[in-house]
Amino acid sequence: MSSEDLEKYEAEMELQLYREYRDVVGLFGYVVETERRFYLTNHVDLQPRSTENGEMYFEVVMEDAWVWDMYRPARFVRNVRVVTFKDVNVEEITKADLELPPAEGRD
């Protein structure tokens, strides 16, 4: 397989993943970003923790999640637990975020 074939394959996989994301995003209430993954979920519990020597880390537990990862054969996951020393971003998805604004000049 040439590098061009590999690039084409990866581009097709990313497009397929984006289309799947577009189809499922309306099913979820939260977006969770970690340093390694991007998740859609309906339940997220983020708990700050600290080690014995005072370092801060985060424990994130999600239920019924969808994972943005083109190399996973199954992207829907029942339970996810992430432990990380890096930043975690949790955003609530509002349905207005998913709607396109009305086009000017159309009724």
Side-chain angles (χ1 to χ4, degrees):
M1 179 179 265
S2 71
S3 62
E4 185 177 304
D5 291 338
L6 184 57
E7 286 178 21
K8 183 178 178 183
Y9 172 77
E10 287 182 348
E12 289 173 5
M13 291 293 293
E14 284 184 35
L15 181 58
Q16 179 183 355
L17 183 61
Y18 170 75
R19 287 178 177 151
E20 183 177 327
Y21 164 82
R22 184 187 61 201
D23 291 343
V24 301
V25 69
L27 302 174
F28 296 97
Y30 297 93
V31 172
V32 179
E33 268 186 285
T34 69
E35 81 274 8
R36 297 202 50 205
R37 296 280 189 276
F38 175 90
Y39 301 89
L40 298 172
T41 187
N42 283 316
H43 175 78
V44 60
D45 181 31
L46 174 65
Q47 296 295 320
R49 309 272 192 219
S50 60
T51 63
E52 291 177 5
N53 59 356
E55 289 184 278
M56 182 74 124
Y57 69 95
F58 300 97
E59 181 177 9
V60 186
V61 176
M62 293 170 270
E63 296 175 8
D64 299 323
W66 181 89
V67 184
W68 180 286
D69 186 343
M70 68 182 178
Y71 298 108
R72 289 180 65 98
R75 286 183 270 281
F76 286 97
V77 185
R78 182 174 299 261
N79 295 298
V80 178
R81 180 176 174 258
V82 177
V83 177
T84 180
F85 284 91
K86 306 284 185 173
D87 290 340
V88 176
N89 185 37
V90 178
E91 295 180 31
E92 186 172 3
I93 301 171
T94 61
K95 297 306 174 192
D97 292 342
L98 302 176
E99 296 173 5
L100 295 174
E104 291 184 31
R106 280 199 291 178
D107 296 285

